[in-house]
């Protein structure tokens, strides 16, 4: 019997979580600002989570949803794509998409993951939706 194997040590030293909205203005109070585009149904921006970990599944959730009715059926839809994976640099991304009815609101977006050492990381940021 010949057994060949590889053992990769699990390390959790480089794990962390820092969210940002690289394309949005960050004010002195820590709020990001998204200018809603005039004459559009929806406006989008990319959000980033720096995890320090490659190929890490990251979950996203906003505190607001919109009801998109489809053939008379309610479809409550979160304002962010709800999962992504980090790239080789440890960065994961999602897209925040808001509708006109959110102008004037502050949207809170949460992000999190659990690493290989079963440690949970959670962060959040807030985006104020401004009229153009």
């Amino acid at each position: 019997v010949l057994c060949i194997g590889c053992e990769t040590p699990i390390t959790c030293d480089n794990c962390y979580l820092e969210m940002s909205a690289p394309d949005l203005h960050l004010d002195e109070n820590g709020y990001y600002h998204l200018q809603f585009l005039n004459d559009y149904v929806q406006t989008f921006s990319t959000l980033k989570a720096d995890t320090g970990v490659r190929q890490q599944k990251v979950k996203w959730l906003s505190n607001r949803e919109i009801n998109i009715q489809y053939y008379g059926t309610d479809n409550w839809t979160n304002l962010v794509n709800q999962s992504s994976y980090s790239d080789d640099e440890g960065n994961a991304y999602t897209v925040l998409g808001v509708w006109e009815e959110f102008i004037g609101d502050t949207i809170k977006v949460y992000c999190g993951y659990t690493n290989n050492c079963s440690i949970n990381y959670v962060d959040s940021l807030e985006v104020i939706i401004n009229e153009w």
Side-chain angles (χ1 to χ4, degrees):
V1 174
L2 177 63
C3 295
I4 301 174
C6 223
E7 188 172 310
T8 304
I10 296 175
T11 65
C12 298
D13 297 337
N14 297 330
C15 298
Y16 56 88
L17 180 59
E18 294 176 9
M19 284 181 69
S20 64
D23 298 327
L24 301 180
H25 168 71
L26 179 64
D27 70 21
E28 64 277 357
N29 296 313
Y31 292 92
Y32 288 95
H33 291 265
L34 174 62
Q35 300 296 121
F36 193 87
L37 298 176
N38 227 3
D39 298 325
Y40 282 82
V41 174
Q42 203 175 6
T43 298
F44 301 94
S45 188
T46 301
L47 304 180
K48 176 182 174 184
D50 186 0
T51 68
V53 184
R54 294 176 356 145
Q55 301 174 348
Q56 174 64 54
K57 186 173 186 178
V58 176
K59 300 297 254 173
W60 304 83
L61 185 67
S62 72
N63 68 339
R64 300 292 303 273
E65 293 181 322
I66 188 165
N67 186 7
I68 301 173
Q69 292 209 346
Y70 184 73
Y71 291 110
T73 303
D74 289 338
N75 292 292
W76 287 97
T77 304
N78 205 273
L79 302 184
V80 292
N81 295 330
Q82 295 185 318
S83 63
S84 61
Y85 283 87
S86 61
D87 59 20
D88 287 343
E89 284 79 43
N91 297 315
Y93 299 90
T94 195
V95 174
L96 170 65
V98 296
W99 281 259
E100 186 175 14
E101 59 226 56
F102 294 105
I103 293 174
D105 286 350
T106 301
I107 309 298
K108 189 161 190 170
V109 179
Y110 301 91
C111 176
Y113 71 95
T114 302
N115 70 6
N116 290 333
C117 298
S118 299
I119 299 171
N120 295 319
Y121 293 86
V122 178
D123 198 6
S124 65
L125 57 74
E126 292 181 284
V127 180
I128 297 173
I129 312 305
N130 297 316
E131 191 168 11
W132 186 255

